[in-house]
Amino acid sequence: MTFADYLIAPFLDYSFMRRGLAGCLALSIGCCPLGVVLVLRRISLMGDAMSHAILPGAAIGFLIAGFSLTAMTIGGFAAGLIVAVLAGLVTRFTALREDASFAAFYLASLGLGVLLISMHGSNIDLLNILFGTVLSLSDPALLLMATIASLTMFSLALLFRPLVAECLDSGFLRSVSGAGGFIHLAFLILVVLNLVGGFHALGTLMVVGIMMLPAASARFWAETVAGQMLVAVTFGIASSIVGLLISYHDDLPASPAIILSASAIYVFSFLAGPQDSIGARALRRRHFKR
């Protein structure tokens, strides 16, 4: 087998590989820029919390209509929004910080979701929801993911400057404009939408990986927010392609292979990236000593 056959043949020969790649491309375009904003706001674990928060809603949708794309999407979106609003209210009216309130609600949501599926479904049903079915995406699922990615890109283009301002100094944004609360709510909705669309492919446990790992890696390659978003999308696409190829050739589960590929890029980035990585700091110290 030639190198070109190794890279190209699986996508040319099998439609399930092309579908998986199309779904991962949509996820990378929609999720990775949002991950950059989460890193910028220093609430990276909120993505993990929200990905678990959608589980009980998806579970209820599954119990009502089985593996219905519409029912599970609506249920997951509703559950994610409810957790986001409740966590925000707790943060506003108590002394508990935002990350702690999200953690409390996501743990409760994870336990409830797993309990519901375990009581009324099989182990296969639970695994499909937790780890996704990236190699068996349907046309409606691909359309949903592409629509969410398009909506996300349009929204980020429209709200980019106030969103960055809200991340860097929310107090300043509130002082010059009353749109701070709206910007934050719109961002949370985008996060929930992308996680709900992504769990059909990578599952509720893995989808946050494609949102956060490329974004964390991009921090070591670009200085500006826009540059980090572009690098994050590139890393997300690269890890998706590599993960799908490893999954195909080595007969491994696709979702973990994609996330581990993104993890490898992250390790390389914090070791050798040009922006404030371990290698860059070592070179800077050596330069100063001279």
Side-chain angles (χ1 to χ4, degrees), residues 97-112:
R97 291 172 58 91
E98 188 177 33
D99 56 346
S101 61
F102 268 107
F105 280 107
Y106 106 73
L107 290 171
S109 299
L110 178 62
L112 177 60

Side-chain angles (χ1 to χ4, degrees), residues 165-178:
E166 200 267 341
C167 292
L168 297 176
D169 191 345
S170 58
F172 170 77
L173 183 63
R174 286 195 298 268
S175 66
V176 299
S177 171

Side-chain angles (χ1 to χ4, degrees), residues 62-63 115-126:
F62 167 76
L63 296 178
L115 179 64
L116 288 173
I117 300 172
S118 300
M119 290 177 58
H120 301 282
S122 66
N123 290 334
I124 299 299
D125 298 329
L126 180 60

Side-chain angles (χ1 to χ4, degrees), residues 28-70:
S28 299
I29 292 172
C31 287
C32 293
L34 297 178
V36 170
V37 178
L38 289 172
V39 172
L40 186 65
R41 292 197 63 195
R42 298 181 181 181
I43 51 172
S44 302
L45 290 179
M46 193 189 80
D48 185 50
M50 296 306 299
S51 70
H52 292 79
I54 67 177
L55 182 58
I60 292 173
F62 167 76
L63 296 178
I64 294 175
F67 281 104
S68 166
L69 178 70
T70 302

Side-chain angles (χ1 to χ4, degrees), residues 54-92:
I54 67 177
L55 182 58
I60 292 173
F62 167 76
L63 296 178
I64 294 175
F67 281 104
S68 166
L69 178 70
T70 302
M72 294 179 70
T73 298
I74 293 175
F77 181 70
L81 281 185
I82 289 173
V83 167
V85 171
L86 290 177
L89 290 175
V90 170
T91 302
R92 182 172 181 178

Side-chain angles (χ1 to χ4, degrees), residues 121-250:
S122 66
N123 290 334
I124 299 299
D125 298 329
L126 180 60
L127 288 175
N128 285 339
I129 293 177
L130 292 179
F131 298 103
T133 54
V134 67
L135 295 180
S136 59
L137 292 173
S138 63
D139 288 342
L142 287 175
L143 180 60
L144 173 67
M145 294 162 69
T147 301
I148 291 175
S150 300
L151 177 62
T152 300
M153 295 301 294
F154 175 79
S155 300
L156 287 177
L158 188 65
L159 303 174
F160 180 78
R161 294 187 66 180
L163 180 60
V164 173
E166 200 267 341
C167 292
L168 297 176
D169 191 345
S170 58
F172 170 77
L173 183 63
R174 286 195 298 268
S175 66
V176 299
S177 171
F182 169 77
I183 296 297
H184 185 62
L185 179 60
F187 173 70
L188 288 179
I189 291 175
L190 289 177
V191 171
V192 174
L193 271 177
N194 279 271
L195 291 174
V196 168
F199 95 84
H200 294 292
L202 298 181
T204 58
L205 291 184
M206 294 290 172
V207 63
V208 70
I210 204 66
M211 178 178 285
M212 297 311 309
L213 284 169
S217 303
R219 169 65 180 80
F220 300 103
W221 295 90
E223 292 183 341
T224 66
V225 177
Q228 289 179 26
M229 288 182 175
L230 180 60
V231 173
V233 171
T234 302
F235 284 162
I237 293 173
S239 59
S240 298
I241 294 173
V242 172
L244 287 172
L245 288 173
I246 292 175
S247 170
Y248 173 81
H249 289 292
D250 296 329

